[in-house]
Amino acid sequence: MLAQDLHIHSTWSNGDAAVVSEQTIGLIAELGHAHVVGISDHFELIGEDFFEEYAREVRGAGLKVGMEIDGSRWLSAVQSHVADYRIFHCYDRDMDYKALDQLLDMGQPVIVAHPNALSTNLDRVPPECLVEINNRYVWRCDWRSFYGPFVNRFEFVISSDAHQPNWLNQTVARHVATELGVRDHNLLGVLAAVRTLRPSIRG
Ligand SMILES: [Zn+2]
Ligand SMILES: [Zn+2]
């Protein structure tokens, strides 16, 4: 069993052509492929009005509640919706790097999604962010030169980005992490670290 998988889509990402109808929260929970499992459906596909219903279903299945946010234009919409963590598409734009700071100030762990697929400049990413090694995308780049210079700057999370039941693995991502000599950073403890670095956060 894997230690953790926080980037998984379900049928709540209705409209994402890669998601199959069998990819229900119930089935993901039943498969139990990792000790810590989080669902991170696309915020814009869940629909703002349905986020609480989504969160209830995910929590009810015993899973962590995440969301995947497509850039800074969704920043104000996600503010009022509490999740256990947020996964963010950081495009190579000033407004998206700034959004990372604003998300961190909201007090929940922030994971930078598949930066190699979005040309994210990791030099501009705040070091309190977690950086993802994503099983769907990491093998499509020269990952050693992309991630190598940053292994001491960030903590990392390893994810499947599963859209279908048979994607619930992290084979390529774990190989890359081993080669880079980085470990999978556990979600537990991340919040405490963020709060220490961001004393403005209350609660
Ligand atoms: Zn994504
Ligand atoms: Zn995704």
Side-chain angles (χ1 to χ4, degrees):
M1 192 188 278
L2 301 171
Q4 176 175 267
D5 193 357
L6 298 175
H7 192 158
I8 301 172
H9 293 273
S10 77
T11 49
W12 279 92
S13 286
N14 187 17
D16 183 327
V19 172
V20 295
S21 60
E22 295 87 349
Q23 180 79 343
T24 60
I25 287 170
L27 178 62
I28 295 162
E30 194 182 319
L31 292 175
H33 73 303
H35 285 287
V36 178
V37 174
I39 304 294
S40 57
D41 279 305
H42 296 290
F43 183 80
E44 73 274 17
L45 296 180
I46 296 167
E48 202 177 341
D49 293 343
F50 295 95
F51 189 83
E52 301 314 319
E53 189 183 331
Y54 157 80
R56 261 197 310 278
E57 186 180 344
V58 173
R59 257 187 239 295
L63 309 179
K64 301 286 183 192
V65 178
M67 61 173 81
E68 187 166 21
I69 305 164
D70 190 31
S72 54
R73 72 197 162 117
W74 295 96
L75 197 66
S76 59
V78 303
Q79 272 181 24
S80 53
H81 298 289
V82 176
D84 294 313
Y85 58 95
R86 303 176 200 271
I87 298 183
F88 185 72
H89 283 173
C90 185
Y91 299 94
D92 190 23
R93 305 183 296 209
D94 289 347
M95 62 180 106
D96 285 333
Y97 298 113
K98 188 164 172 256
L100 287 174
D101 268 320
Q102 293 167 298
L103 287 167
L104 285 165
D105 283 338
M106 291 178 202
Q108 294 160 354
V110 177
I111 298 168
V112 176
H114 42 68
N116 64 297
L118 299 175
S119 303
T120 308
N121 180 354
L122 291 177
D123 269 322
R124 299 189 64 186
V125 170
E128 303 95 311
C129 290
L130 297 162
V131 173
E132 183 182 55
I133 298 177
N134 180 302
N135 203 62
R136 184 186 190 187
Y137 293 108
V138 72
W139 51 274
R140 303 184 194 191
C141 74
D142 178 359
W143 46 264
R144 202 181 289 277
S145 60
F146 185 87
Y147 286 94
F150 298 97
V151 295
N152 296 318
R153 175 179 162 94
F154 296 106
E155 305 286 2
F156 294 83
V157 293
I158 298 172
S159 311
S160 69
D161 203 356
H163 289 56
Q164 305 181 12
N166 57 315
W167 296 18
L168 289 165
N169 65 65
Q170 305 170 345
T171 322
V172 181
R174 288 202 174 268
H175 167 70
V176 170
T178 301
E179 288 291 309
L180 289 170
V182 302
R183 65 186 182 87
D184 198 7
H185 194 74
N186 198 295
L187 182 65
L188 302 173
V190 172
L191 182 56
V194 169
R195 283 189 171 145
T196 305
L197 291 160
R198 305 253 159 177
S200 59
I201 297 164
R202 287 180 298 277

